Amino acid sequence: MELQFKSELTISESGFLFDHATGLTYTLNSTGQFIFRNIQDKQNARSILSLVMNEFEVNEDTAHKDLDDFIRQLKEFNLVGE
Amino acid sequence: MINKKAYSKPTIIRHSVGVQNKFGRPPATVPINRLDGFKVSELAEKHGSPLFVLSVKALRDRYRDMNRAFTTRYPNFQIAYSYKTNYLKSVCNILKQEGAWSEVVSGFEYDIARNIDVPGNQIIFNGPYKTHEELIRAFEEGAIVNLDNYDEMQVVEEIADELDKVLEVGIRINMDLNDPPWHKFGFNVEAGHAFEAVKRAQSGGKLKVVGLHIHTGTYVDDVTVYSRAAQGLVNFYAYIQEQLNIKLKYWDLGGGYASHNTLHGAYMPAEQTCPTFDQYAEAICPILLNGPFQAQDAPKLFIEPGRALIDEPFSLITSVVSQKRLPSGQRGVLLDSGMNIMSSVQWYRYNFQTAQDSGAMLEDTIVYGGLCMNIDVLQASSSIPPVRRGDLLVIHHVGAYNISQSWQFIYLRPAIIAIEDGEVHVIKKAETREYVQSFENVPDSFISNK
């Protein structure tokens, strides 16, 4: 499944995120930023999971569960849709 | 081999405006790895989770600090520890070692005190319900008994007949000090009931009023309430001295002293609002010393602290069982402890701190207890770093009421350990099924033969 941002978003190098449509701001940690940039690069959830596992010291179960939770949260914040 | 980066759970936090205030407590991102020198993870591994941990040093320090604050301001002072807040035998013994007397509010608590050899004349027996047998024992052993109501006064007069002597008693009084006022215990001063009660007790010829007791409330963090109570005691003493020629041996300002726990709905954290023992003592002692007596005849001053002594020395180690995302977007974390061992979550907004480095990104989280009950919520909103199943959390200041009011429900209650001088002592073993069912009996006729 492909994830798409719903509006124009700008993220700084330190993980500060600005939503141009709503004016709301967010902070992402380094793993969150990594996933976020891969969504920007049009990666789907499955490929993001492998990218996370290549990049970070983490087992698949944990990465999978955390990625699902992170994407759920992005949807709750109305930042992404499918 | 390629070196991979250290992983932390991906997190996104939405910024809120106007929620935090300048008095907010610092974020709880520093992990609590150790309790009194011992690794939290090793304590949990050895003794199980959840686990109550008593810092004996912290308990002794709290007692000594409070005792110092009052003894330096009043010539004839004695702490009587409020057993109901936590009557673990080890706790009662440690405070007895420190010099505390015992304040008990039931025959069961009285028996706990006597069982650890507290002399009867170092026990204050309060509480609105004392049986005839319990009262006889208390008077025979020389305990201080404060009377709550006329029915009790009548029973004690009967006991005076049985023992064939005039019994010395204290009278519990209450005043309009808070909103709503505490009228449950004793006789009201403003309505004239307290004077009537003292007069009635004295005039029967079987009792001699030698003490007054007042309890201002619970978690009273406004020291002026104690000042008003002290002034009320002074005024009332002067009046009964003048009218009835009463000479007090003691007066007792009860308990209610606050601990460093933040109440639900409080604007500022308790770290900034909880009075020091010096502030309480300063609010009380100078006023009492203006009472109707010469300094050498000052009635003995009792106070009956519970939570202020016992909350801080206890911590709870508890484990994360699971986490989930709620429809609101809020994170939910479920723990292996519940309201059955943490009843004080009804009043306190606890701080949940991780026992391991979990990253600095705090997220608003609802903390669920592990009971299969929807109401089992330990905290509706708490800032917690990313955690996963098996991670340990530490909750500080959990010593008052949680253990004495705990209920055994679907889980066995956990072990309790005490740490002092680099040694860990198990002061209460974790419950077993056999222990919980040990008083049960199943008649043979109920047992299926199949």
Side-chain angles (χ1 to χ4, degrees):
Chain A
M1 86 191 156
E2 189 172 325
L3 300 160
Q4 283 189 335
F5 288 122
K6 287 192 158 178
S7 63
E8 192 183 338
L9 302 169
T10 304
I11 188 164
S12 75
E13 282 186 7
S14 61
F16 181 82
L17 178 70
F18 178 66
D19 182 341
H20 292 253
T22 62
L24 294 171
T25 57
Y26 306 82
T27 300
L28 291 86
N29 69 352
S30 59
T31 323
Q33 291 169 48
F34 180 83
I35 296 169
F36 186 91
R37 291 186 207 284
N38 278 295
I39 298 174
Q40 279 183 318
D41 290 346
K42 310 283 184 203
Q43 300 287 345
N44 63 31
R46 180 171 288 279
S47 57
I48 290 174
L49 178 61
S50 341
L51 290 165
V52 167
M53 287 166 57
N54 283 335
E55 183 79 8
F56 296 98
E57 190 62 56
V58 61
N59 65 46
E60 183 169 357
D61 281 354
T62 304
H64 199 160
K65 216 162 43 176
D66 290 351
L67 179 62
D68 284 351
D69 186 50
F70 185 70
I71 291 170
R72 247 189 319 266
Q73 209 179 355
L74 293 177
K75 288 177 184 168
E76 294 298 342
F77 289 159
N78 212 23
L79 294 171
V80 300
E82 285 174 29
Chain B
M1 185 180 153
I2 303 164
N3 276 338
K4 294 184 181 180
K5 293 179 186 167
Y7 178 81
S8 59
K9 185 180 187 295
T11 310
I12 176 170
I13 305 293
R14 182 160 56 196
H15 299 160
S16 316
V17 177
V19 173
Q20 191 69 332
N21 63 70
K22 65 180 177 177
F23 301 111
R25 47 160 68 123
T29 53
V30 181
I32 308 292
N33 305 115
R34 290 172 181 272
L35 289 172
D36 278 17
F38 286 85
K39 276 192 172 169
V40 169
S41 55
E42 288 174 6
L43 292 174
E45 197 176 333
K46 183 159 184 198
H47 302 284
S49 168
L51 177 69
F52 282 105
V53 182
L54 166 63
S55 164
V56 179
K57 180 179 185 308
L59 177 56
R60 295 191 192 281
D61 285 350
R62 291 291 287 170
Y63 181 88
R64 289 172 193 176
D65 189 29
M66 188 174 219
N67 198 46
R68 175 204 50 74
F70 281 82
T71 49
T72 51
R73 290 177 170 86
Y74 194 91
N76 188 6
F77 169 75
Q78 180 62 48
I79 289 176
Y81 169 59
S82 165
Y83 268 34
K84 69 173 181 281
T85 55
N86 188 324
Y87 42 64
L88 283 171
K89 280 168 75 173
S90 290
V91 167
C92 298
N93 269 293
I94 292 164
L95 288 169
K96 176 173 172 253
Q97 268 184 347
E98 291 295 323
W101 290 17
S102 307
E103 189 259 341
V104 305
V105 292
S106 71
F108 169 63
E109 286 192 343
Y110 188 96
D111 206 32
I112 291 174
R114 293 291 292 124
N115 180 251
I116 62 164
D117 295 328
V118 176
N121 64 5
Q122 294 186 8
I123 298 175
I124 299 177
F125 195 7
N126 290 324
Y129 169 44
K130 318 174 185 83
T131 68
H132 188 272
E133 292 71 26
E134 291 162 358
L135 284 164
I136 286 190
R137 181 183 184 187
F139 281 112
E140 284 184 333
E141 294 179 347
I144 291 170
V145 179
N146 292 314
L147 303 183
D148 178 78
N149 54 67
Y150 282 118
D151 290 304
E152 191 166 79
M153 196 181 288
Q154 194 178 342
V155 172
V156 173
E157 284 186 329
E158 288 164 17
I159 292 172
D161 284 341
E162 288 170 42
L163 299 179
D164 194 25
K165 62 177 180 182
V166 173
L167 297 177
E168 293 190 341
V169 295
I171 301 292
R172 287 196 72 160
I173 62 173
N174 66 63
M175 300 173 208
D176 293 347
L177 299 168
N178 349 46
D179 185 23
W182 276 45
H183 287 162
K184 175 173 177 181
F185 305 113
F187 303 89
N188 184 254
V189 170
E190 287 86 349
H193 299 166
F195 178 72
E196 286 302 318
V198 173
K199 194 171 157 186
R200 160 75 184 77
Q202 196 75 3
S203 63
K206 298 173 181 176
L207 308 179
K208 184 178 176 195
V209 177
V210 296
L212 293 175
H213 178 287
I214 182 165
H215 185 71
T216 59
T218 190
Y219 197 99
V220 180
D221 59 359
D222 175 1
V223 298
T224 65
V225 171
Y226 286 94
S227 296
R228 293 200 298 278
Q231 190 58 57
L233 271 181
V234 166
N235 296 347
F236 188 67
Y237 182 20
Y239 188 62
I240 59 175
Q241 190 181 70
E242 181 193 307
Q243 298 288 320
L244 304 169
N245 199 26
I246 301 279
K247 187 175 181 202
L248 292 183
K249 289 187 176 176
Y250 69 91
W251 42 19
D252 186 333
L253 262 162
Y257 310 91
S259 65
H260 289 83
N261 274 316
T262 306
L263 297 176
H264 292 300
Y267 181 62
M268 298 208 291
E271 290 91 325
Q272 301 185 33
T273 57
C274 179
T276 63
F277 291 142
D278 282 297
Q279 287 172 313
Y280 280 119
E282 191 60 29
I284 292 169
C285 299
I287 293 174
L288 291 183
L289 286 173
N290 278 330
F293 48 80
Q294 299 297 316
Q296 67 272 17
D297 296 328
K300 195 177 195 69
L301 168 61
F302 291 113
I303 61 170
E304 301 164 350
R307 79 172 74 236
L309 294 179
I310 203 64
D311 246 347
E312 281 85 346
F314 271 90
S315 300
L316 180 74
I317 300 174
T318 179
S319 307
V320 174
V321 173
S322 66
Q323 58 177 323
K324 58 175 63 169
R325 189 63 56 187
L326 305 184
S328 63
Q330 192 186 22
R331 178 177 65 161
V333 166
L334 190 119
L335 306 181
D336 64 355
S337 52
M339 292 176 82
N340 57 323
I341 57 166
M342 283 291 287
S343 61
S344 62
V345 295
Q346 298 168 84
W347 316 302
Y348 291 152
R349 207 162 70 221
Y350 279 116
N351 219 8
F352 297 81
Q353 290 174 275
T354 56
Q356 54 283 310
D357 200 352
S358 305
M361 293 285 281
L362 300 176
E363 186 178 348
D364 179 47
T365 304
I366 179 165
V367 184
Y368 292 114
L371 302 182
C372 194
M373 290 164 66
N374 197 46
I375 59 159
D376 188 22
V377 175
L378 300 184
Q379 179 81 43
S381 174
S382 182
S383 291
I384 295 179
V387 287
R388 59 173 61 107
R389 182 179 172 89
D391 279 357
L392 296 170
L393 297 178
V394 176
I395 312 168
H396 284 317
H397 306 172
V398 300
Y401 295 102
N402 288 315
I403 294 168
S404 55
Q405 290 187 339
S406 68
W407 13 294
Q408 188 276 313
F409 173 64
I410 72 172
Y411 300 113
L412 299 166
R413 279 173 290 195
I416 304 171
I417 60 171
I419 302 175
E420 186 169 41
D421 296 335
E423 271 194 79
V424 175
H425 309 275
V426 177
I427 58 172
K428 188 169 186 184
K429 289 190 281 190
E431 287 179 343
T432 62
R433 183 193 56 75
E434 291 77 9
Y435 164 77
V436 171
Q437 294 186 314
S438 60
F439 273 33
E440 289 193 43
N441 174 50
V442 183
D444 288 343
S445 60
F446 293 175
I447 297 171
S448 168
N449 292 321
K450 289 179 185 171

